[in-house]
PDB file of all heavy atoms in Angstrom:
ATOM      1  N   ASN A  88      80.255  45.892  70.321  1.00  0.00           N
ATOM      2  CA  ASN A  88      80.529  45.743  71.742  1.00  0.00           C
ATOM      3  C   ASN A  88      81.943  45.271  72.004  1.00  0.00           C
ATOM      4  O   ASN A  88      82.527  44.539  71.199  1.00  0.00           O
ATOM      5  CB  ASN A  88      79.565  44.733  72.373  1.00  0.00           C
ATOM      6  CG  ASN A  88      78.134  45.203  72.328  1.00  0.00           C
ATOM      7  OD1 ASN A  88      77.845  46.373  72.528  1.00  0.00           O
ATOM      8  ND2 ASN A  88      77.216  44.285  72.072  1.00  0.00           N
ATOM      9  N   VAL A  89      82.463  45.666  73.161  1.00  0.00           N
ATOM     10  CA  VAL A  89      83.757  45.213  73.669  1.00  0.00           C
ATOM     11  C   VAL A  89      83.479  44.503  74.988  1.00  0.00           C
ATOM     12  O   VAL A  89      82.648  44.952  75.782  1.00  0.00           O
ATOM     13  CB  VAL A  89      84.717  46.406  73.891  1.00  0.00           C
ATOM     14  CG1 VAL A  89      85.912  46.023  74.736  1.00  0.00           C
ATOM     15  CG2 VAL A  89      85.187  46.964  72.552  1.00  0.00           C
ATOM     16  N   THR A  90      84.171  43.378  75.222  1.00  0.00           N
ATOM     17  CA  THR A  90      84.017  42.630  76.465  1.00  0.00           C
ATOM     18  C   THR A  90      85.212  42.889  77.378  1.00  0.00           C
ATOM     19  O   THR A  90      86.365  42.801  76.949  1.00  0.00           O
ATOM     20  CB  THR A  90      83.905  41.118  76.172  1.00  0.00           C
ATOM     21  OG1 THR A  90      82.798  40.908  75.299  1.00  0.00           O
ATOM     22  CG2 THR A  90      83.691  40.320  77.454  1.00  0.00           C
ATOM     23  N   ILE A  91      84.905  43.194  78.640  1.00  0.00           N
ATOM     24  CA  ILE A  91      85.922  43.455  79.658  1.00  0.00           C
ATOM     25  C   ILE A  91      86.217  42.165  80.416  1.00  0.00           C
ATOM     26  O   ILE A  91      85.293  41.435  80.795  1.00  0.00           O
ATOM     27  CB  ILE A  91      85.421  44.513  80.676  1.00  0.00           C
ATOM     28  CG1 ILE A  91      85.046  45.819  79.987  1.00  0.00           C
ATOM     29  CG2 ILE A  91      86.418  44.720  81.806  1.00  0.00           C
ATOM     30  CD1 ILE A  91      86.182  46.607  79.437  1.00  0.00           C
ATOM     31  N   SER A  92      87.491  41.887  80.650  1.00  0.00           N
ATOM     32  CA  SER A  92      87.904  40.779  81.513  1.00  0.00           C
ATOM     33  C   SER A  92      88.838  41.330  82.570  1.00  0.00           C
ATOM     34  O   SER A  92      89.670  42.202  82.276  1.00  0.00           O
ATOM     35  CB  SER A  92      88.651  39.704  80.709  1.00  0.00           C
ATOM     36  OG  SER A  92      87.844  39.197  79.682  1.00  0.00           O
ATOM     37  N   LEU A  93      88.700  40.841  83.780  1.00  0.00           N
ATOM     38  CA  LEU A  93      89.611  41.203  84.862  1.00  0.00           C
ATOM     39  C   LEU A  93      90.440  39.972  85.184  1.00  0.00           C
ATOM     40  O   LEU A  93      89.890  38.931  85.555  1.00  0.00           O
ATOM     41  CB  LEU A  93      88.826  41.666  86.095  1.00  0.00           C
ATOM     42  CG  LEU A  93      87.842  42.820  85.880  1.00  0.00           C
ATOM     43  CD1 LEU A  93      87.131  43.165  87.175  1.00  0.00           C
ATOM     44  CD2 LEU A  93      88.548  44.039  85.322  1.00  0.00           C
ATOM     45  N   LYS A  94      91.762  40.093  85.009  1.00  0.00           N
ATOM     46  CA  LYS A  94      92.654  38.952  85.222  1.00  0.00           C
ATOM     47  C   LYS A  94      93.869  39.404  86.008  1.00  0.00           C
ATOM     48  O   LYS A  94      94.651  40.221  85.514  1.00  0.00           O
ATOM     49  CB  LYS A  94      93.099  38.355  83.883  1.00  0.00           C
ATOM     50  CG  LYS A  94      91.960  37.773  83.075  1.00  0.00           C
ATOM     51  CD  LYS A  94      92.422  37.228  81.739  1.00  0.00           C
ATOM     52  CE  LYS A  94      91.220  36.724  80.960  1.00  0.00           C
ATOM     53  NZ  LYS A  94      91.522  36.380  79.595  1.00  0.00           N
ATOM     54  N   GLY A  95      94.010  38.902  87.213  1.00  0.00           N
ATOM     55  CA  GLY A  95      95.178  39.228  88.025  1.00  0.00           C
ATOM     56  C   GLY A  95      95.367  40.719  88.239  1.00  0.00           C
ATOM     57  O   GLY A  95      96.492  41.207  88.192  1.00  0.00           O
ATOM     58  N   GLY A  96      94.278  41.426  88.455  1.00  0.00           N
ATOM     59  CA  GLY A  96      94.367  42.865  88.669  1.00  0.00           C
ATOM     60  C   GLY A  96      94.512  43.679  87.397  1.00  0.00           C
ATOM     61  O   GLY A  96      94.647  44.898  87.447  1.00  0.00           O
TER      62      GLY A  96
END
Side-chain angles (χ1 to χ4, degrees):
N88 295 321
V89 165
T90 302
I91 302 290
S92 301
L93 304 180
K94 296 178 183 171

